[in-house]
Amino acid sequence: MGVHAPRDLAALPYAQHLESFTGELEQAGAYEWLHFDGSAFQDAEAGSSLFSQSAFSSATFDRGRLRRSRFDEVWLHTVRLVGTNLAQTTWLDSECIAGVFAGTEIHGSEMRRVVFHQCKFDSVNLRATSLKDVVFVDCLLRDVDFGGAELADVSFPGSTLDRARFDKATLTRVDLREATALAIASGIGSLNGATISTAQLFDLAPVLAQHVGLTVKDH
């Protein structure tokens, strides 16, 4: 998946069709060609909704549930999602720039051709998630749980992985070489299918030794 520079709102192919969103989100709502500019949603109940060719600028989600919603060709800029339930959501051809995901539940979701630029993920649950052609560019992923997830053609250029978990994950053509830091809290044995650099191999050596039960002792 080729990674382009972050796009501005005006560069979106559907930008001229966007209309400002007003009101509240609803359960199983359909939202197309809408601009959520500065919208603030608290405890929103909008599960099973469809967001298509829409844009979010400086929007905030405080808790709330968007479970089983679908995001098609959605652009998000400086969006904050704190304690929000996004479990079993579907993301397709979408882009997120300078977003914050904190305590967010995204487990059991599916992401395909999605790019995250300069985003911060803190204590995010991505367990059993399917990620295909997903790129994390210059992101911080702290305490992110990929347990049981399926990652294919995923890369992390310029990103920091801090205490990431990969227990029982399945990795296919996952490129970690350009990650600026790679700290694995658990699941080191599930990294087969990933490519790392020589320098990263030295960084992971203590965890790998512990995983295989190797004792390292100097005279």
Side-chain angles (χ1 to χ4, degrees):
M1 179 180 182
V3 182
H4 53 72
R7 292 177 296 178
D8 294 327
L9 179 66
L12 301 177
Y14 51 85
Q16 68 272 22
H17 301 297
L18 293 175
E19 297 182 1
S20 297
F21 175 81
T22 57
E24 300 293 332
L25 296 177
E26 298 178 354
Q27 188 82 12
Y31 306 98
E32 184 178 19
W33 295 342
L34 291 172
H35 186 198
F36 299 83
D37 188 8
S39 301
F41 303 106
Q42 186 168 2
D43 296 314
E45 294 288 347
S48 302
S49 292
L50 170 63
F51 299 87
S52 177
Q53 294 188 324
S54 293
F56 293 79
S57 301
S58 301
T60 60
F61 291 84
D62 187 4
R63 300 184 302 276
R65 289 187 285 268
L66 286 82
R67 194 180 183 95
R68 298 191 182 91
S69 291
R70 184 179 179 92
F71 299 84
D72 288 350
E73 293 187 66
V74 171
W75 180 87
L76 306 97
H77 190 280
T78 55
V79 171
R80 291 178 56 87
L81 298 105
V82 179
T84 308
N85 190 331
L86 291 166
Q88 297 177 291
T89 50
T90 302
W91 301 71
L92 180 66
D93 295 318
S94 295
E95 179 179 9
C96 183
I97 305 161
V100 174
F101 299 78
T104 311
E105 296 285 341
I106 317 181
H107 59 84
S109 297
E110 180 179 350
M111 295 185 181
R112 186 177 180 89
R113 295 190 299 274
V114 178
V115 182
F116 296 94
H117 294 275
Q118 301 169 355
C119 292
K120 180 180 179 180
F121 296 81
D122 197 342
S123 300
V124 172
N125 183 352
L126 284 165
R127 293 181 66 83
T129 297
S130 174
L131 296 92
K132 171 70 174 177
D133 291 323
V134 176
V135 185
F136 298 88
V137 184
D138 299 329
C139 294
L140 170 61
L141 297 92
R142 178 183 292 127
D143 292 313
V144 174
D145 192 348
F146 291 100
E150 296 182 0
L151 291 77
D153 299 301
V154 177
S155 59
F156 300 83
S159 293
T160 296
L161 285 81
D162 183 9
R163 301 190 299 273
R165 300 178 182 85
F166 288 92
D167 303 88
K168 299 182 180 179
T170 302
L171 279 59
T172 306
R173 296 181 301 277
V174 172
D175 195 341
L176 294 164
R177 290 173 296 177
E178 294 184 78
T180 56
L182 183 58
I184 307 299
S186 61
I188 192 73
S190 296
L191 291 185
N192 53 307
T195 303
I196 62 174
S197 67
T198 302
Q200 288 170 330
L201 177 60
F202 285 113
D203 291 338
L204 292 176
V207 182
L208 285 168
Q210 183 181 24
H211 173 69
V212 300
L214 180 66
T215 300
V216 179
K217 184 183 295 185
D218 298 320
H219 290 292

